[in-house]
């Protein structure tokens, strides 16, 4: 059995989704209510691989909302994640992905030190951040979607916003080792970590976002921002490719500018329909087939009976592990979401 721990993107989203989650009476409740709500299993899932193998899973709604971070309700936010993990373990789930902000909260607030949740001792090897598969899929999107929109990587400048993060640093490692990308622009706020990444890669230009965006042919957005940024579409080159892997989205603006192609980042499409309701609730374009790559990682680990925290900690994702998860991703019928033709 695999598990997915997820959350909704805003209070408004949670209120709108309450009915579909099976709790119409929550629709008018405010942030205080969501701060005290316990985790619950919102969906039972069956996934079939193209190999014919069939597995079962469950979606656990943690009731975390990004507004909890924005309003400094840190205790509520951390409780949501630990309680959701305990809930997954109590239900005997072998491998559970910590979706969206769940793993960011786990890492940023050192939740590894809180192993005892009531009568449960959390077994961390039952959880994965899903970030190795997410980083792999984003790199595939860079490589394949750039061709679709006529950008040649050997002549392209790629800006990574959130470059020092777990996913961002893995994307930089892959682009450096496996592609002939001409230039990498590294964007984040903490200069020391940017310097460390630049030293590790032996390349990459550290730039503030306002300077990087107009120079980039491709922008990979993987910053952990509770709310998206509003950016004037005119700053981007034409053509350019914007791959937004944030959850919630890093880009607030609905960009409708000729030549500026926006792609949902870190999303995979399965070759077969999946019977679930959760991807309707998070507004996927093709809810029966599209899902977050981090969720797909726990599905892949269950298919392969690889019961281990495949992605764990921060900035430890190697190109070899990305290749390994990529190979099983293809084997079971997943492919990266590309630009619609
Ligand atoms: P991390 O916390 O490891 O890294 C976040 C990065 O963003 C850091 O480099 C951080 O650096 C940077 N950052 C944060 N705020 C800003 C800002 N305002 N401006 C510029 N840079 C900023 O996060 P992850 O790598 O785990 O996740 C990144 C994103 O990917 C999140 O939005 C997450 O929800 C999403 N995600 C998507 C998945 C999918 O399946 N599609 C799966 C998992 C995560 P600094 O603090 O120095 O600025």
């Amino acid at each position: 059995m695999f598990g997915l721990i997820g959350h909704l993107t805003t209070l408004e989203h949670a209120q709108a989704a309450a009915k579909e989650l099976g709790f119409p009476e929550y629709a008018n409740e405010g942030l205080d209510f969501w701060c005290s709500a316990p985790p619950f299993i919102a969906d039972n899932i069956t996934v079939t691989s193209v190999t014919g193998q069939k597995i079962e899973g469950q979606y656990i709604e943690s009731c975390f909302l990004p507004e909890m971070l924005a309003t400094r309700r840190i205790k509520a936010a951390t409780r949501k994640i630990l309680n959701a993990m305990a809930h997954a373990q109590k239900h005997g789930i072998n491998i559970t992905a910590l979706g969206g902000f769940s793993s960011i909260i786990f890492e940023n607030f050192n939740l590894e030190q809180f192993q005892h949740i009531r009568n449960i001792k959390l077994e961390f090897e039952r959880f994965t951040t899903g970030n190795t598969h997410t980083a792999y899929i984003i790199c595939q999107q860079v490589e394949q979607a750039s061709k679709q929109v006529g950008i040649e990587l050997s002549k392209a400048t790629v800006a990574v916003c959130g470059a020092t993060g777990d996913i961002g640093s893995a994307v930089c490692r892959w682009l450096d080792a496996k592609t002939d990308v001409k230039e990498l622009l590294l964007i984040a706020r903490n200069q020391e970590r940017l310097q460390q990444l630049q030293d590790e890669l032996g390349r990459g230009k550290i730039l503030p976002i306002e300077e990087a965006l107009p120079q980039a042919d491709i922008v990979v957005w993987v910053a952990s921002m509770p709310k998206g940024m509003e950016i004037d579409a005119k700053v981007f080159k034409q053509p350019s490719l914007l791959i937004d892997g944030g959850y919630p989205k890093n880009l607030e603006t609905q960009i409708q500018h000729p030549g500026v192609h926006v792609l949902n980042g870190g999303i995979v499409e399965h070759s077969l329909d999946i019977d679930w309701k959760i991807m309707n609730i998070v507004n996927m374009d093709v809810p029966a087939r599209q899902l977050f790559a981090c969720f797909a990682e726990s599905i892949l680990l269950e298919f392969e009976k690889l019961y281990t925290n495949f992605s764990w900690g921060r900035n430890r994702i190697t190109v070899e592990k990305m290749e390994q998860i990529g190979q099983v991703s293809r084997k079971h019928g997943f492919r990266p979401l590309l630009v619609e033709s």
Side-chain angles (χ1 to χ4, degrees), residues 137-158 175 179-181 217-220 239-243 259 261 263 337-339:
I137 290 298
I138 290 176
C139 291
Q140 292 306 301
Q141 291 180 304
V142 170
E143 291 183 28
Q144 298 176 33
S146 58
K147 283 198 191 114
Q148 288 183 298
V149 302
I151 296 172
E152 245 181 274
L153 284 188
S154 61
K155 296 183 187 151
T157 296
V158 181
L175 293 180
T179 73
D180 57 355
V181 156
D217 301 287
I218 300 173
V219 187
V220 174
S240 61
L241 174 64
L242 315 180
I243 302 179
H261 305 272
L263 184 56
L337 183 72
L338 295 177
V339 178

Side-chain angles (χ1 to χ4, degrees), residues 99-101 103-104 108 129 131 134 161-168 187-190 193 222-225 245-248 250 265-267 292-295 314-315:
F101 262 77
S103 70
I104 296 171
N108 289 358
T129 65
N131 287 348
T134 304
C161 180
T164 52
D166 199 36
I167 300 172
I187 308 162
R189 294 163 304 177
N190 183 306
R193 284 201 292 264
V222 278
S224 50
M225 296 191 285
Y247 183 81
N250 285 179
I267 304 292
F292 300 105
C294 62
F295 283 177
R314 274 293 177 262
N315 297 26

Side-chain angles (χ1 to χ4, degrees), residues 138-301:
I138 290 176
C139 291
Q140 292 306 301
Q141 291 180 304
V142 170
E143 291 183 28
Q144 298 176 33
S146 58
K147 283 198 191 114
Q148 288 183 298
V149 302
I151 296 172
E152 245 181 274
L153 284 188
S154 61
K155 296 183 187 151
T157 296
V158 181
V160 182
C161 180
T164 52
D166 199 36
I167 300 172
S169 61
V171 166
C172 291
R173 272 178 219 118
W174 179 283
L175 293 180
D176 174 50
K178 305 277 291 181
T179 73
D180 57 355
V181 156
K182 186 173 150 219
E183 174 117 73
L184 277 174
L185 307 181
L186 313 176
I187 308 162
R189 294 163 304 177
N190 183 306
Q191 295 302 308
E192 203 182 315
R193 284 201 292 264
L194 279 166
Q195 193 60 56
Q196 277 167 7
L197 177 69
Q198 192 188 47
D199 291 347
E200 179 200 323
L201 295 169
R203 67 184 284 195
K205 229 190 235 172
I206 298 170
L207 284 181
I209 193 159
E210 324 72 73
E211 279 179 47
L213 296 183
Q215 296 183 29
D217 301 287
I218 300 173
V219 187
V220 174
W221 300 86
V222 278
S224 50
M225 296 191 285
K227 198 173 175 304
M229 297 174 84
E230 282 204 36
I231 293 178
D232 185 349
K234 290 194 212 80
V235 306
F236 299 110
K237 272 187 172 177
Q238 290 186 41
S240 61
L241 174 64
L242 315 180
I243 302 179
D244 190 348
Y247 183 81
K249 291 278 149 235
N250 285 179
L251 268 178
E252 177 92 329
T253 332
Q254 289 292 331
I255 292 183
Q256 280 171 334
H257 211 63
V260 182
H261 305 272
V262 185
L263 184 56
N264 260 341
I267 304 292
V268 283
E269 200 160 295
H270 192 37
S271 309
L272 301 168
D273 283 358
I274 303 174
D275 183 17
W276 56 6
K277 62 180 177 195
I278 190 61
M279 291 301 140
N280 265 320
I281 295 173
V282 295
N283 306 320
M284 248 351 132
D285 290 339
V286 185
R289 294 204 170 191
Q290 293 175 357
L291 61 149
F292 300 105
C294 62
F295 283 177
E297 182 170 306
S298 70
I299 294 174
L300 294 169
L301 297 177

Side-chain angles (χ1 to χ4, degrees), residues 13-85:
H13 184 200
Q15 289 170 331
K19 197 168 150 216
E20 285 175 88
L21 286 169
F23 296 93
E25 64 275 22
Y26 295 2
N28 297 318
E29 298 287 355
L31 191 60
D32 282 346
F33 169 85
W34 289 88
C35 282
S36 58
F40 61 94
I41 292 173
D43 215 356
N44 291 301
I45 308 160
T46 306
V47 188
T48 308
S49 160
V50 290
T51 64
Q53 197 184 341
K54 224 178 228 195
I55 55 170
E56 305 286 326
Q58 293 186 315
Y59 171 80
I60 296 147
E61 172 55 51
S62 69
C63 294
F64 164 78
L65 292 173
E67 282 97 339
M68 293 175 194
L69 293 181
T71 56
R72 304 294 303 158
R73 293 180 186 206
I74 306 303
K75 244 195 169 150
T78 55
R79 241 186 312 115
K80 300 281 134 195
I81 305 313
L82 288 168
N83 286 342
M85 291 170 76

